[in-house]
Amino acid sequence: MNRELYGKLVFELSRPGRRGYRLPQSHISSSDLVGSKGEKAPEIPSVLLRRQQLSLPECDELTVVRHYNNMSTNNFGVDTGFYPLGSCTMKYNPKINEEVASHAGFASAHPATPGYASQGRLRLYRTLERALSEIGGMAEFTLNPFAGAHGELTGLMVIRAYHDSRGDKRRRKVIVPDSAHGTNPASAAVAGLEVVEVKSLPDGTVDVEALRPLLDDTVAAMMMTNPNTLGIFEHSIPEIARMVHDAGGLMYYDGANLNPMLGMARPGDMGFDVMHINLHKTFSTPHGGGGPGSGPVGVRAGLECFLPSPRVVEHADGTLDLEYSHEALGSISATLGNFAVQARALAYILSLGSDGLMEAGSLATLNANYVKEALKGDYLLPVEGLCKHEFVFDGLSDKSTGVTTLHVAKRLLDHGYHAPTIYFPLLFHESLMIEPTETESKETLDEFVAVMRDIAREARETPDIVLSAPHNTPVTHPDDTEAALNPHVTFDMC
Amino acid sequence: MFWLPTSQFYYMHRYFPHTEAEIREMLAACGLSELRELYGDVPAELLLAKPYDLPAQMSDDEVRKAFDAFAEQNIPVKACFAGGGFYDHYVPAAVKSLIGRSEFLTAYTPYQPEISQGTLQYIFEYQTMMSRLTGLEISNASMYDGSTATAEAMMMAVAVGRKRRRVLVSATLDPAVRRVVDTYARYHGVEVETVTEAGGVTDLLHLDRLLAAYDDIAGVVLPQPNRYGIVEDLSGIADKVHARKALLILNCIAADLATLRTPGEWGADIACGDAQSLGIPLSFGGPYLGYLCAAKSLMRKMPGRIVGATADAGGRRSFVLTLQAREQHIRRDKATSNICSNQGLMTLYVSIYMSLLGSEGLREVAWRGHQTALYLLQEMTGSGRCRMAYPDKPFLNEFLLEMDADVDLDLFVRRCIEDEKILPGIRIDGNRLLMACTEMQTKEDVDRLVNVFRNL
Amino acid sequence: MIKFSETHEYVRVDGEYGYIGISDYAQKQLGNVVYVDMPEEGDELEAGEDFGAIESVKAASDLIAPVSGEVVEVNTALESDPRAVNRDPMANWIVKIRLSDPSQLDSLMSQEEYEGYCKK
């Protein structure tokens, strides 16, 4: 890319008088607005109008197209290369997903279109809802939550609504493993719940004995991912679910790590009562640079009435409708959620089909174990044994080189890979979390393994090249301390 | 693995690259011989006993046909006079084309700035445009939608107000947004008091009384334009709110701010709402984009991602996620919000749309919607069977009609949809219809709509 | 007299007043401080409760009051120069309070005890 020409901000490309649009014409002229006996609107008083001049770019269409096209080449996506970002399930995003998301039957539909004119869209919602219920082992899903964290919040609200409906208002404690995602405690806090952490055993799974004393009549729920953030299956899950249920609490499944369970096991069968699914992870809707996502929430039988309004319900004659109920926890969205994301997820489920879905989880797990076994000498594997879709190294095995996880991550960028997730989970000082996903080929994994070994060798032999990485990226070492000390968050602050 | 009963070929799914030989080889490298052994640590009673009860895999063409079949069950609408915060706007073809760049589409949150400058730069440009649009100094990288952005603004006011946990909300705020605000408030332990409406706008006398009655008000939430399309006069309100040490939060329709007095000019501390009106397809409710802008002093209390400009080792301008210590992955239960995403791709829609239209384009869009709305109002009321619900109140492109008692509004809506493929508006409480116009509806669309009304 | 808490805050006592900041050990753990979220004058601090936060680029830590008291002054110099905490954490205290219960000091660690605590 020619940085001089195309490395500018769009504001710097603006020239007064240029324009990049023409609006369609309505064919209403001022003569149509006189002489009728109908009502006239009052003039808008000038006090209600904008005074400050609005400065937006003035550009022709090609200038805008080149600007954004060139900008995109400074980005790395799944379509660019291997993206082993742990906990994010960066699998291939099939092209048919995009095609159906902009289908003419959906893209221009207003959310206030009456139900009788929207039966196909409601049927799509319902079809995905039923498919997720089958895969999750739940009675019903709401697709309304906009993202995983929004799903967590919704799920915790379901749990509070359930306890409150029983007059059990003391239950405000949510138990979370110390390896949990940061969103778990944050969502609990937003939902007005209090977080208590339970310790993990050295093998990374929940310490059942440490859990026992926490279970009293103030427990609202236990939140878990399974497999957990180390990629390890919580083998005590039936016992944990029994204990939490005996104490009157509910089990919440954080669906961040659902991918390896595809075709193998269902959260509902493990004893979970409420769960969310990240459609942008497990069901391959693109991540879009951070969003939009979608975080449907499923519940076991008996909890459906607490799901947020509106709910899509099916009448006896097979027609579908929206329902707002008083039992519901309330509304968490103005609409039925990110409909175009839901459409993508359904396209993925139909593309894979029952047979493809049955294979996806075990292939993801195969890829992860293959990479783990190949690298565990050069990198420190704190927990031995089978992993599921991902695993965590505690940095390089050789701690004498001065090369940290951050350096390894930056050096990977030089080789055309996205970095793994780093410094999470918080259980280890040098966490390096790798999730290959099922859509990566053996030769991609072999090449990645070779590069990771090369980096380990460089760390011993020529550490400077790793310590000073990256070298070949569009920018190197942006100063984030300065960015936080003196934040310039708009062009006008620069 | 699956063997098709009719052929004896091992059947690989097109998304999975593994050959049978590779699977064997990879398993052997792990000291295993069968895929099932990878789940040897899962209690046997938890393992799925049978395949999912779902259809078998489909080709792209079969998926396409399945979606065509869904679409056929809808009644297509060609002209949309429904608004309520979401509008059918013209979007240049370049927007959709650029959105499809897979480097944008298939990237994750820009955690590695060295290979995410594309995402970071367009978010930075978006933040700048939104700051200029709202007249406030800072913007975050976006929220899910307008309703959740408003709920987050409320929680932000409560966080700033420390022990203050009461928020006043005007009755003229869109009810769908209000429902979400109420839900967040109930679970988060915030008291919401309604400021009543008078003549279609916020009752300023009631607002004064509430401001005087409570010492623990953290914020006041007002809409602009309001749920009836009316542009409210907010003169003097900011001073009164600030005198009570509360924050003024304005929920605004983003596109209208090119024309209407800005939240900054009204003296607001926070502006929030939906930015669907800036180039995002209607898509039956989402994905949309919630925007959140604020005064600079509130920067550390902002929820969500924020992108900042800095320099790299070579002195080149570069962008990073900044002020991350506010966020859930560091602060956990002390974070300013649980949100851990931004609507990246939707901010790209908005950035490209605003780059193409510029401020002149946005003003033209508003003016054209206003013109068509004037014509629609004139023609509808000319029938003598309906009238403006609040005739003395100004509006931009959306207004509320009160029907005569003998008008069957549901029948009118159904006839418009079924006979003319027109969605005439949104029916709200009682026999009232909220109608909106943009540059997308023609004189002919209006005339057909009015014709249905006259012949009802 | 100077005393330390297990959460790495210190209180330097000067008559009826106490100056509260974070220890040298704590600033090293945090790295480059970019922001200090401080209470307001007149706020009441309660021993063991958080009264603000201190942020570096990629970490943040709650400030926990080692003793109770009313805030009589906040170190506003930290608003424009938060990195002063890294340069000299003992000189660059965060808040000055009027101690409401000096007996609370007895449960805190001396300099020597604290140094031993950090080595554990």
Side-chain angles (χ1 to χ4, degrees), chain B residues 362-377:
Chain B
L362 293 187
R363 278 198 301 271
E364 190 180 336
V365 164
W367 181 81
R368 292 280 301 282
H370 187 61
Q371 284 292 104
T372 306
L374 295 182
Y375 180 65
L376 175 64
L377 171 69

Side-chain angles (χ1 to χ4, degrees), chain A residues 173-195:
Chain A
K173 193 160 82 181
V174 177
I175 301 171
V176 175
D178 54 8
S179 61
H181 294 118
T183 46
N184 292 172
S187 298
V190 173
L193 296 164
E194 189 190 320
V195 173

Side-chain angles (χ1 to χ4, degrees), chain B residues 269-320:
Chain B
D269 304 282
I270 303 175
C272 56
D274 215 294
Q276 180 277 331
S277 53
L278 294 170
I280 297 177
L282 282 166
S283 296
F284 198 51
Y288 293 161
L289 168 62
Y291 71 88
L292 189 67
C293 297
K296 194 178 169 190
S297 58
L298 298 173
M299 181 146 41
R300 306 270 172 179
K301 299 290 181 195
M302 279 283 241
R305 309 288 192 204
I306 299 177
V307 171
T310 187
D312 82 342
R316 287 170 291 203
R317 178 167 59 199
S318 43
F319 305 94
V320 293

Side-chain angles (χ1 to χ4, degrees), chain A residues 242-291:
Chain A
R242 229 175 358 254
M243 285 162 62
V244 171
H245 287 150
D246 285 349
L250 296 183
M251 290 291 289
Y252 184 92
Y253 183 86
D254 172 348
N257 297 342
L258 181 65
N259 205 41
M261 295 291 103
L262 284 181
M264 298 309 298
R266 310 195 302 176
D269 299 338
M270 297 176 203
F272 288 97
D273 306 289
V274 182
M275 69 179 290
H276 82 264
I277 295 178
N278 302 65
L279 295 186
H280 44 284
K281 295 181 182 174
T282 317
F283 295 103
S284 187
T285 71
H287 285 73

Side-chain angles (χ1 to χ4, degrees), chain A residues 19 24 37 99 260 290 329, chain B residues 39 64 186 342 360 368 382:
Chain A
R19 64 158 65 196
K37 63 185 166 83
E99 190 182 308
L329 62 88
Chain B
Y39 291 79
R64 200 175 283 137
R186 182 158 74 251
N342 65 80
E360 193 186 328
R368 292 280 301 282

Side-chain angles (χ1 to χ4, degrees), chain A residues 1-10 13 18 59-74, chain B residues 94-95 97-98 101 103-104 118 121 125 348 352 355-356:
Chain A
M1 166 177 118
N2 179 332
R3 226 186 135 88
E4 275 309 300
L5 261 177
Y6 305 123
K8 296 190 164 74
L9 286 167
V10 70
L13 303 171
R18 282 206 186 129
C59 297
D60 60 292
E61 189 169 316
L62 179 57
T63 298
V64 171
V65 167
R66 284 209 180 123
H67 176 67
Y68 287 99
N69 255 325
N70 278 292
M71 210 193 286
S72 78
T73 64
N74 285 336
Chain B
V95 177
S97 163
L98 291 167
R101 291 287 299 194
E103 299 91 334
F104 289 138
Q121 184 177 336
E125 292 181 352
L348 184 59
I352 301 171
S355 296
L356 287 168

Side-chain angles (χ1 to χ4, degrees), chain A residues 189-202:
Chain A
V190 173
L193 296 164
E194 189 190 320
V195 173
V196 180
E197 281 197 355
V198 59
K199 289 219 173 324
S200 301
L201 291 166

Side-chain angles (χ1 to χ4, degrees), chain B residues 6 63 76 119 146 169 236 255 272 289:
Chain B
T6 49
V63 172
T119 302
V169 181
C272 56
L289 168 62

